[in-house]
Amino acid sequence: MTAEGTVFRYGDNVDTDVIIPARYLTTSDPAELAAHCMEDIDATFVKRVKTGDMIVADANFGCGSSREHAPIAIKAAGISCVIAKSFARIFYRNAINIGLPILECPEAAAAIQAGHTVWVNFDSGSITDKTTGKTFTAAAFPPFMKELIACGGLVEYVKARRAAR
């Protein structure tokens, strides 16, 4: 499993309230959430993001509320991967559960800049900044996490496993 895209870059402590502002939590519709993704931190994000693009951030990405709407909004906006120095633990869990690939790699997060083109190999954990030619290594996903993400998240993973019985 691989991904390639253009980077949107953010700093430390990007919380779930700026990923998807609470005023839009009257719905769980992914398309509606995507329409407002990141608007309180980057008003142009939704207009500029393309399917496959990536978010790179500093420490504690996804802190704040435990709502799963935040990773759903990011995934529905077309983001293929989030790379950060670190993630809030509940955001990490929610992202994997809804099938959004995320990688912790402090070295990559420190070096990659907005607008760079990045390629990620989730099997090896390899992150290549194609703009600078630098390569970084994050922990590769274990097989069960790759399967869960490939299914589109925990719900689809469980459905697939039950159907296979």
Side-chain angles (χ1 to χ4, degrees), residues 3-144:
E4 182 174 323
T6 301
V7 168
F8 287 81
R9 185 76 173 82
Y10 302 103
D12 288 326
N13 302 311
V14 175
D15 66 48
T16 54
D17 284 332
V18 297
I19 294 171
I20 183 67
R23 62 187 175 275
Y24 301 115
L25 298 180
T26 56
T27 182
S28 292
D29 177 29
E32 189 65 29
L33 295 170
H36 302 286
C37 186
M38 308 302 277
E39 77 178 29
D40 282 357
I41 192 171
D42 182 351
T44 66
F45 175 82
V46 170
K47 293 177 185 166
R48 296 182 299 133
V49 69
K50 296 181 196 82
T51 299
D53 285 348
M54 298 179 185
I55 290 175
V56 175
D58 291 322
N60 203 27
F61 187 88
C63 60
S65 169
S66 61
R67 65 178 76 118
E68 65 183 17
H69 296 75
I72 289 171
I74 291 171
K75 182 179 175 186
I79 293 295
S80 63
C81 177
V82 180
I83 299 166
K85 288 182 180 175
S86 65
F87 292 93
R89 300 325 313 170
I90 192 68
F91 180 88
Y92 189 93
R93 179 73 178 252
N94 284 337
I96 298 301
N97 283 347
I98 63 100
L100 174 66
I102 61 176
L103 296 170
E104 282 187 343
C105 186
E107 299 81 14
I112 297 170
Q113 299 300 310
H116 286 189
T117 300
V118 171
W119 180 83
V120 175
N121 182 324
F122 299 106
D123 295 326
S124 65
S126 178
I127 300 167
T128 301
D129 183 336
K130 294 180 77 172
T131 304
T132 64
K134 292 182 180 176
T135 298
F136 310 92
T137 303
F141 289 139
F144 81 93

